[in-house]
Amino acid sequence: MNEENKTYQLIVRQKPSTGDDLEPLLIRLKNEFGLDSYTARQRLTGQGLAMFGRGNLQQTNKIAAVFQKYRFPCWVVPPPRPAFVPDRLRSLDINNESIDFHCRQAKVRLERGARVVAVLADVSGELNGKLVKRMINQKTYRGHVPDDLLQQGDLLQLIYQGKPVLDVYLLGEDGVRGAVRVLPGKFNHTGLGDRGGLSSIQNLNAVRILVEEYSGDYTLHTDFGLGHMPDCQIDSMIETSRKLRRNTYVSLQDRGGVEVETESRENQATLGDNLKSLTRYGWLVSSLQGSGLPETGALPGDAGLVGGVAATAVVGSPALG
């Protein structure tokens, strides 16, 4: 298929609080490309990555160049098509120049200095709700949502309080050459030696730190479930049920009391779907190269944007191309 006829995704790094600074960009997107301002604002505001739209290469390049001019990091990539699922870690061996991950199906070796993309995610589906509550509290008590609402340490803590999963993607010249999925409490942590901790979460975090230490070009993504990614949807796996229970005691009014029992449990089918979405997300972010912005002194243009950007249409607006 001709490159111009292929469908690409325009991935944008959202900004948490845009305010009036976003208006010039929204006006330009509407005037030049006919894009709906309300939908565009929703896609550009937040804490994660957003799939701004899909479309052909030529038109998306033009939109991407505008984003870069307004300092919105963006990339153009094909829709993610995972070649395989990350192999689940069973144990590991640490050597001076490498780490051997012994997984369910095979051994995956991380050589010191290798290029790695890691995704630390809360697959419970509750992370976004926690963030919204924090934003509401900040808005109530401070009158605005600060740009530094969530520092990396705060986000890591929220993820570890949920149902964390660490996916590690090892990259070569042709893309992903291996991937490991680390589940807390599901691997033999003795290989960590003195790095190990007293809990499964501490051991998971130790693996994350170890991978960063051995990697050369290292990127950690912690925003799974926070942005707008239609191909990587995540749902809450917590199901809550309520039922009435009549007590046998007699109240002062000679009537039995009634209590409401609340029971929460994890939906394993939803967990499986969320892990599939996490795999698609991992393959997507593994294809994002660079910062998403032009190098210092360079001006964004049509040339050189492929692999970084392509043409798109915002849902609810006229198709482009």
Side-chain angles (χ1 to χ4, degrees):
M1 180 184 294
N2 186 285
E3 286 293 329
E4 289 297 329
N5 295 326
K6 289 183 179 179
T7 297
Y8 290 86
Q9 293 183 139
L10 175 54
I11 307 298
V12 181
R13 170 68 64 185
Q14 296 176 322
K15 294 185 179 180
S17 179
T18 52
D20 296 335
D21 296 339
L22 194 59
E23 291 303 320
L25 172 58
L26 296 177
I27 292 173
R28 184 167 178 180
L29 291 174
K30 183 175 181 60
N31 291 342
E32 294 187 19
F33 307 105
L35 301 183
D36 177 69
S37 296
Y38 177 79
T39 305
R41 180 186 292 276
Q42 284 188 316
R43 299 286 167 84
L44 296 174
T45 306
Q47 291 280 347
L49 294 172
M51 197 279 288
F52 191 81
R54 295 184 176 96
N56 66 69
L57 184 61
Q58 181 180 6
Q59 188 67 11
T60 309
N61 271 341
K62 296 178 182 178
I63 299 174
V66 174
F67 279 140
Q68 292 187 337
K69 181 176 181 180
Y70 286 86
R71 309 306 296 174
F72 270 91
C74 56
W75 299 263
V76 170
V77 291
R81 294 182 176 87
F84 53 84
V85 176
D87 205 354
R88 292 196 179 187
L89 179 67
R90 288 291 178 256
S91 63
L92 72 161
D93 293 322
I94 304 174
N95 307 300
N96 289 333
E97 297 300 322
S98 65
I99 306 171
D100 287 335
F101 295 106
H102 302 281
C103 302
R104 176 183 291 178
Q105 298 179 355
K107 181 179 75 174
V108 180
R109 172 167 291 181
L110 168 59
E111 301 281 356
R112 189 181 289 275
R115 183 184 171 208
V116 171
V117 171
V119 181
L120 180 64
D122 175 10
V123 295
S124 72
E126 302 297 317
L127 182 60
N128 192 56
K130 294 176 183 178
L131 181 60
V132 170
K133 289 181 180 178
R134 180 170 294 202
M135 293 175 64
I136 292 174
N137 291 336
Q138 291 292 324
K139 183 71 172 180
T140 300
Y141 293 110
R142 302 178 62 172
H144 69 283
V145 179
D147 291 339
D148 58 349
L149 171 67
L150 213 57
Q151 298 297 323
Q152 181 78 329
D154 298 327
L155 188 52
L156 291 178
Q157 184 178 13
L158 288 177
I159 292 173
Y160 286 138
Q161 289 172 354
K163 197 172 186 65
V165 176
L166 176 66
D167 282 355
V168 179
Y169 289 84
L170 284 64
L171 306 184
E173 294 182 358
D174 298 325
V176 177
R177 63 175 182 82
V180 178
R181 172 160 291 168
V182 188
L183 303 177
K186 300 297 184 180
F187 66 97
N188 186 342
H189 65 275
T190 57
L192 289 171
D194 294 339
R195 298 171 182 265
L198 299 177
S199 71
S200 60
I201 298 300
Q202 289 176 333
N203 291 326
L204 176 65
N205 190 55
V207 174
R208 178 188 66 83
I209 295 173
L210 178 66
V211 169
E212 181 177 4
E213 177 185 322
Y214 271 68
S215 302
D217 183 352
Y218 174 81
T219 304
L220 175 65
H221 293 269
T222 55
D223 50 13
F224 173 67
L226 296 183
H228 173 79
M229 302 295 293
D231 293 332
C232 308
Q233 295 279 16
I234 181 171
D235 296 315
S236 175
M237 58 178 291
I238 307 300
E239 290 185 340
T240 302
S241 60
R242 294 178 175 86
K243 63 180 179 180
L244 297 179
R245 184 182 68 179
R246 183 172 296 277
N247 293 319
T248 56
Y249 68 83
V250 178
S251 69
L252 295 177
Q253 291 77 29
D254 295 327
R255 290 178 297 178
V258 175
E259 292 182 354
V260 177
E261 284 188 341
T262 301
E263 182 181 274
S264 297
R265 64 184 182 88
E266 294 182 350
N267 187 319
Q268 295 304 309
T270 302
L271 172 60
D273 291 339
N274 289 348
L275 288 174
K276 291 177 182 178
S277 290
L278 177 59
T279 298
R280 289 191 293 271
Y281 185 80
W283 279 82
L284 171 69
V285 296
S286 295
S287 69
L288 306 182
Q289 300 183 15
S291 67
L293 292 171
E295 296 181 3
T296 304
L299 295 176
D302 287 345
L305 288 177
V306 179
V309 253
T312 185
V314 174
V315 174
S317 66
L320 305 175

